[in-house]
Amino acid sequence: MLPADRALTSRLLPRAWTARRPTISTRCRSVKATDEKWTIREPLIKGRLRILTRQPDIKFADAATRSKLLKTETFIPWLITRLQILVAKSTDAGFVTFARNLIDILPRRSIWTALETQDVQLPSQSEWQPSEQSRPVSLLRSLRQAFMSNGESGVDTQLKYSYHGLLASQKFSKVDIENQEKLADLRYPVEWYPATRVVQRKIVLHVGPTNSGKTYHALKRLEQADTGIYAGPLRLLAHEVYTRLNAKGKLCDLITGDEKVVQGGDGAQMKSCTVEMVPLNTDVDVAVVDEIQMIGHKERGWAWTQALLGLKAKEIHLCGEERSVPLIKELAASMGDEIEIHTYKRLSPLKTMSTSLRRRLSDLRKGDCVVVFSRVGIHAMKKEIENVTQKRVAVVYGSLPPEIRAQQAKLFNDPDNEYDILVASDAIGMGLNLAIKRVIFESVSKFNGSHFAVIEAAHIKQIAGRAGRYRTAAQAEGPAGNSLEDIENPKMSWSMPAPNLGLVTTLEEADLPILRKAMQEELDPIMSAGIFPPTSVLLKFATYFSPSTSFSYILLRLHELSLRHPRYHLCVLKDQIAIADTIQPVQNLSIHDRIVFCAAPATVKNTGMPAILAAFARCVGDNSSGALLDILEIPLDILDEDIRPDRAYMERLESLHKALILYLWLSYRFAGVFINQAMAFHVKRLVEERIDKMLAEYSSSPAIRESIKKMREEALRQISKLNEPVAESDDSSVQMKLPDAPFLPEGASDQEQSSQQKDARLEERLRNMEVASGDIQSVASP
């Protein structure tokens, strides 16, 4: 263990940093300048740990709140407070000394002056070179940037990285650093897939807005091939394509992170996958990669880049938005692949209505879809709509079991039954085949873990584009088709939607200007593709560090040194760092094992997940039994309890569900350890049934519905602040009101009724238009 004496100080930090340790005021405001130092009044102390009784509560603060604390006179006192807390908690003597020396130098006037006079913008990843680690100002700037990006947790991570960097840099020779930089050269990802580069491929790019038939044409080509792969962004889509191909007699395997269904002993010639699970080493005739614009995603983009660069297919059909064309053309040229571009126009017009529903659920009608961004909110909205309208409501969201989801979609799509309305999550934006005529946003903001944030324009447009798919063909598993192709082939078809007017609006009036602005906005082209260092690079890079080095530091170090071509960006380390730190104490894990765990579908923020992750890691490290019933950290005892509609019970159920998904995910990677796969699937189904039943009761609770109402009102208050710069003219020629007279509110003005009747006539004319498939111009949102 490192010594905790002052000798360590001289190795970790220059002598110029040494200063008298300050105290800090309770409110972190009262700072007094002297000739040499900034002195801060003595705080109120709590107990022996010398932790401030009151400090700024920024753990869950949003970016706007954090930006207010970036001023030197507020950030440095807060940082001193945070360092004192970390010193009190840490058992690492070396880090304690490192942190105390930071506390010593922070009150110096020269540091404050340097920060104020040389405040330059830092890269978003807080990338600063090891040679600058001994500079206090450079370190503080990186801490400020980490604070702005990720708040308190970002500062903690950056401090830990700085400390490990100072220690590790003493052990590296110049040759070692040069070798590390060579391994961190990520400018040419096309070279990571040499077996694919020898295949002469043809890339067929299908681009256009939602409901334009681009995926239809790609899937028709897949249907004609002898061997093929479909890769989609969601389990729901992968399951849908898997079901449809098998219904047509094309045997297809299903491959997702936590589920594999193999047809026969050797598997089928067709495979439907989530994009992260694409089998790169499989030779196929045709591959379809859906939602290719996700290649620019800051977290998941690497999976689409990997599929595009690595799939060994003679033809690769890419489906997505037109803004992806320039980047895909560049990537195709870099690989030497032929490219063919097909541009599609929307098959039915799409209009943004000029009024919201003003919270009048009684105005909902057949074919409406209310989009809600939380599972509890979905069930609460379903209950509220059924109470108000006396109509049956179907629900669709990502975590529904595939069989239940398919049943709910079938009920909504069938025009002859009583399920008139759908309440769904934003999962519908990824191309689920649903008979939606009007999309109604319950809110245009979404809770991101710390605060409500307005949804990105691209996401809003993608969800809104689902409107107008009224009278689509039935799902593969059902016979209720209604298109000509379904009549000719009732067994199965990839259905093209009939041309119908799609409408988009909001439930609340305050949200409508935000929606209108998003629908008008021209989206910027995608400039770069996401990448992530392959396992081979990580394994070689890790050999330069001692076995005791934190794996999270190795990941951060590789990201810091990486060189990238401008057409690529390095996907951010979101949960990987926290997972790496959680399993760091586990013995006997190889670097490869740690890499696998860091890619797992888990987040340590979930209740009980850190203990579950550590338990699973110990099973792998010790090569011990990973039998489901032997892992005590999995809260299986909740299945013996009666269902009760309270938040604590729901959190425990969700924790168990996430643990089972992680168990299944690991069972495909450590098959000899996690041996109870079938039992895990069975328990997972039991948990999902309980969650659905409990949510129905939970959402009907008056207290819970009141809580949801307050959250919605808070989101509306935040959005109302944005409405002034967003508000548009009330020009009725470009805005569409509710079209049908029966939906007019009582007491509406003559002018309003006249405008709405005018819009109703416009809708009727659009309905009667004879639209040639593929020839209609996309109707721009007003």
Side-chain angles (χ1 to χ4, degrees), residues 111-129:
I111 298 296
W112 288 49
T113 303
L115 276 178
E116 292 171 345
T117 59
Q118 302 177 25
D119 189 14
V120 296
Q121 185 67 31
L122 289 171
S124 60
Q125 295 296 323
S126 303
E127 295 172 0
W128 45 285
Q129 297 301 317

Side-chain angles (χ1 to χ4, degrees), residues 224-298:
Q224 296 165 2
D226 293 328
T227 59
I229 292 173
Y230 169 82
L234 300 174
R235 288 185 307 151
L236 291 180
L237 289 177
H239 197 277
E240 185 174 274
V241 173
Y242 156 79
T243 302
R244 292 182 172 195
L245 284 173
N246 281 297
K248 282 194 69 69
K250 304 283 290 189
L251 290 182
C252 180
D253 296 337
L254 176 66
I255 306 174
T256 68
D258 58 352
E259 184 178 13
K260 289 185 181 180
V261 180
V262 178
Q263 306 288 342
D266 299 328
Q269 298 299 309
M270 294 285 180
K271 302 182 189 302
S272 182
C273 325
T274 48
V275 70
E276 288 87 352
M277 299 300 296
V278 166
L280 298 178
N281 297 321
T282 302
D283 292 293
V284 295
D285 296 327
V286 174
V288 175
V289 181
D290 212 352
E291 306 294 347
I292 190 59
Q293 73 277 358
M294 292 284 287
I295 199 171
H297 196 275
K298 66 179 183 179

Side-chain angles (χ1 to χ4, degrees), residues 299-546:
E299 294 170 8
R300 295 183 66 195
W302 65 269
W304 275 263
T305 305
Q306 173 185 266
L308 175 57
L309 302 186
L311 271 169
K312 296 174 66 178
K314 297 174 183 176
E315 286 183 27
I316 299 184
H317 292 255
L318 309 176
C319 309
E321 298 173 10
E322 196 165 357
R323 61 194 179 109
S324 64
V325 170
L327 177 62
I328 300 302
K329 289 173 70 174
E330 283 189 34
L331 294 175
S334 70
M335 296 181 287
D337 291 335
E338 175 189 355
I339 185 168
E340 181 181 298
I341 301 174
H342 298 274
T343 303
Y344 302 86
K345 298 173 183 177
R346 186 175 169 87
L347 296 172
S348 59
L350 179 65
K351 281 286 184 180
T352 305
M353 298 172 65
S354 60
T355 60
S356 71
L357 264 64
R358 297 193 180 97
R359 198 67 197 174
R360 296 191 301 267
L361 297 180
S362 58
D363 286 355
L364 291 170
R365 60 195 185 200
K366 189 173 184 65
D368 281 349
C369 173
V370 182
V371 178
V372 184
F373 294 106
S374 73
R375 187 161 55 176
V376 174
I378 286 171
H379 284 268
M381 180 60 67
K382 174 182 182 291
K383 191 76 174 180
E384 192 173 353
I385 291 172
E386 288 179 337
N387 289 340
V388 172
T389 66
Q390 304 302 310
K391 296 178 180 178
R392 302 297 299 273
V393 178
V395 294
V396 169
Y397 52 89
S399 57
L400 267 181
E403 295 79 10
I404 298 177
R405 196 277 311 167
Q407 180 191 40
Q408 291 288 302
K410 182 178 177 181
L411 289 171
F412 176 71
N413 285 340
D414 187 350
D416 299 325
N417 68 20
E418 55 187 358
Y419 283 82
D420 295 340
I421 299 167
L422 176 69
V423 178
S425 71
D426 52 349
I428 65 167
M430 291 294 184
L432 294 176
N433 194 19
L434 295 164
I436 298 170
K437 184 175 182 182
R438 180 170 62 170
V439 168
I440 301 157
F441 286 86
E442 187 258 355
S443 173
V444 293
S445 64
K446 186 176 182 179
F447 192 69
N448 63 6
S450 62
H451 64 284
F452 283 94
V454 175
I455 307 162
E456 294 180 357
H459 197 32
I460 288 178
K461 294 177 85 168
Q462 191 173 41
I463 297 170
R466 294 299 118 194
R469 294 181 66 89
Y470 191 62
R471 292 284 182 180
T472 58
Q475 304 292 325
E477 61 273 19
N482 52 44
S483 71
L484 177 61
E485 193 171 26
D486 281 330
I487 295 172
E488 294 172 348
N489 180 8
K491 191 173 182 181
M492 163 61 195
S493 71
W494 302 112
S495 58
M496 292 287 286
N500 288 279
L501 174 66
L503 299 174
V504 186
T505 189
T506 60
L507 197 60
E508 304 283 356
E509 192 68 23
D511 289 329
L512 190 59
I514 308 293
L515 172 67
R516 192 178 299 140
K517 179 176 183 293
M519 296 296 289
Q520 289 176 331
E521 187 173 329
E522 288 292 331
L523 302 178
D524 295 329
I526 298 171
M527 302 305 296
S528 62
I531 58 173
F532 198 82
T535 300
S536 59
V537 171
L538 277 170
L539 289 171
K540 292 177 182 177
F541 191 79
T543 60
Y544 287 95
F545 300 85
S546 66

Side-chain angles (χ1 to χ4, degrees), residues 152-209:
E152 184 180 286
S153 63
V155 170
D156 292 352
T157 300
Q158 189 67 36
L159 282 169
K160 181 180 64 177
Y161 174 70
S162 304
Y163 168 64
H164 284 293
L166 287 168
L167 294 180
S169 62
Q170 299 172 9
K171 303 175 183 178
F172 295 140
S173 65
K174 186 177 180 179
V175 174
D176 288 336
I177 294 176
E178 289 176 354
N179 289 334
Q180 290 178 23
E181 290 174 346
K182 288 179 182 178
L183 282 173
D185 187 347
L186 308 178
R187 290 176 293 176
Y188 309 108
V190 294
E191 298 176 357
W192 298 348
Y193 310 98
T196 305
R197 297 288 73 83
V198 301
V199 179
Q200 185 60 45
R201 306 188 306 170
K202 178 181 179 180
I203 296 175
V204 183
L205 183 57
H206 305 267
V207 295

